[in-house]
Amino acid sequence: MRMTPVTILVGVLAILAAVVFVMVFWPYTHRDMTPSEIYRTRSPGEESGRVIYIQNGCVYCHSQSIRTIDWGPGAERIAQAGDYVGDKPILLGSQRTGVDLSQEGGEHPDDWHIAHFIKPRYTRPNSIMPPFRWLGMQKIKTLTQYIQSLGYKQADHRMQRQRYWKQESIKAYEAGPEYNVKWLAEQVPAGWRNIPNPYPTTPAGMQRGRKNYQDFCIGCHGPIGDGMGPAQPWIYPPPLNFTILKGRQISGGIIYYQIMNGITGTAMPYFKRELESQKIWEVGDYVAVFFINQSDANADPRGIDAAWEP
Amino acid sequence: MALSASVNPERYRTARAFCLTSAVWFGAAASFGMIGAGYLIAPDFMANIGFIHFGKTRPVHVNLVLFGFVTPGLLAAAFYYVPRLLRTDLYSEKLGVFTAVLWNITLPAAVISLGMGYTQGREYAELPWLVDILIAILFALVVFNIIMTIRQRREKILYVSVWYVSAAVVLTGLTYSLGNVIWQPSTGALLGIPDAILLWFYGHNVFGLLLTPMGLAVAYYVIPRATRSPLYSHTLSLIGFWSLIVVYTHIGTHHLLQVPVPTYLKTIAIVDSVAMVIPVMVVLINLWYTVKGKLGEIHADIGAKFVFTGTIYYFFVNIQGSMMSLPIVQRVTHFNNWVVGHAHIGVLGFAGMTALGGIYYILPKITGKPLYSKFLADLQYWLILIGITGFAIVLTIVGLIQGQAWINGETIYRVLPEIHPYYVSRAMLGVIILAGAYIGIYNVIRSLYFNSGETS
């Protein structure tokens, strides 16, 4: 084959034209832009937040692309083409150094996000996200508006729930510690309230509980459990001071349930995705032993002794 | 050897300018990469400096590596071997130098706009419209200069390197404009899923139609020259060239296998990703058989040593790439540091090594003097080889840890502390690469301008 300039140029251009036709042009002309059932348009504020998201390269660490194999936040809904019909550019992302944000809207209340942007480790001690305090409060709030819209109608639903429970929890907090603790305990289903922590207090268990406390809880509740972690100034109602719980009938079951399910409306997230059962019980016992100074670990009713118990 | 007699100081000014461009921007690009690696270890270390926080540093690093370090490095060699292979002068050294100057205006413009948040928010297509236009103009100027050089050639037969480099600059000029949606200045994007399809068509072709053919062009020139042996096979050259253009252009959608895009696009992308074995192995068989029995000569020439190492990394990156396109593998490798490792193997291990090889191979020929320091070049070779090999190992391990943990239901926050030590060792390897880049700047500047060495 004689490779003349004309052969090369005409050849490669013809190939490129054919490939662009099949791989880009054809799918473009046959695109399906039907919105999915969760889709709605974004408000101007949410659009401005999205611009901040793009400007600051959030997409390099956060995907917006839930796959069939995912477990993390947002995994309840597999992404559909119709979820992206308002996205220009589309922000699928190619890396997950941070969590996927497809359904982030309403996962946390606004104050959690603001504390998180001020310094991500305030609310997530293990986070390696750089702080965004330099954006200024105005931009942080706009960005939060966008984050709270991720998931569209499903996010709106979650946000409604956040707002309702925020009111309730503020009411309870402002009614004083006595009422607040009672209110918090009452939100836990009755069965759970009567369950003592089934794990005995052991040095090893305390050690593990402490590690997970530091990895997940310390930013809000603080190193001595008084609710004065670095996130405290940004959060309202403020993080719970564990030291007020003594003598107020707080069972291991109540602590477990609140860690597992979180307290929607407050900055307290749920940890059932992060921590398996034993880890939650041990964090709970760590809190009970060290901060409340009153633990029901391994107390009656205990049922049949577990096989591993000494 | 009467080398100096043949070197007219007016000749190869373009090649010199691009050598310098590449060397300097390699240092800059690696520095930004280093800052990024620092953020992954200690996110509060340089907290609240908006211009260089991770989300800015990362696209600056990627764009500078692609358009500041590797492309100019490979072009430097091209501006030397294209006229040589065609037995003529470059059509216009003036135009070439102007291109290099404009190139060095475009790159700071890219850094500043990304740093200030002017970005299109699309990976590999971040640069805003004005910079896109500058880059399109740059490619047009390079195309014009090379095509006109081909037109005034005194050698009838076009050598393989000329095929690759002319195809690369022509096709990249087009795919760059297409991929950056250049007709939409305000957003530079399409709406919804088609945006992802176009983006990854373009994004993958930065490697497929720019770095790979330009890198192979350098390898096709340097390896036979350094070993003083004829190319093993013309037929393999032909198959390798045409199959590369056909196959590589199809595979961008393998970035979207886990995304709701049409299944036929995924199928084509997977099939062609596996079929990449053909253009890759055909070229490597051709080049490696050319070297057969003459590794000593490769070893003796520092430029050829870089280039030959590049071909070995070319083998690794492509075998890995074919594997990664399989859905079952991608379930583990997608979204994590495995892919970061893959990108470094390809862009630094293959294309970057080859660009450095091209620069060191032509420097004595365009200056008429031996390299300022062969020792420093050799040191740089080892630093970068150790750095990139370490990157490949460490990032692959991190990727497997992340991928396997996620697929088993561990959340991001649980896995982050586990990978911290690997981020630390990655940054340490980054320091080694960075040292290599800085040594390169010194060596290239000394070789070009302050070389007191004897003319050879």
Side-chain angles (χ1 to χ4, degrees), chain A residues 23 26 55-56 60 67 71 84 87-88 90 94-96 119 121 124 133-134 273-274 276 279, chain B residues 44 48 53 56 58-59 117 123 126 184 189-190 192 195 250 258 264 335 407 409 411 413-414:
Chain A
M23 300 304 288
W26 185 265
Q55 281 174 341
N56 291 290
Y60 297 109
R67 317 168 290 170
W71 291 70
Y84 300 106
D87 290 0
K88 188 179 183 177
I90 194 166
S94 63
Q95 261 210 289
R96 264 188 207 163
K119 184 159 170 173
R121 280 148 297 290
R124 282 289 189 182
R133 187 172 205 153
W134 58 275
R273 290 189 204 268
E274 257 83 31
E276 301 90 329
K279 289 172 181 158
Chain B
D44 294 314
N48 295 312
H53 86 92
K56 305 275 181 67
R58 198 194 116 149
E123 218 176 337
E126 290 100 345
Q184 294 240 17
L190 301 176
D195 190 46
H250 280 98
Q258 300 166 343
Y264 70 91
F335 277 146
I407 217 168
T411 62
Y413 291 116
R414 289 285 301 280

Side-chain angles (χ1 to χ4, degrees), chain B residues 83 88-95 144-150 152:
Chain B
T88 179
D89 287 330
L90 186 65
Y91 169 71
S92 168
E93 290 286 349
K94 262 192 189 148
L95 178 64
F144 180 71
N145 219 343
I146 286 180
I147 300 278
M148 293 309 281
T149 308
I150 293 175
Q152 65 175 29

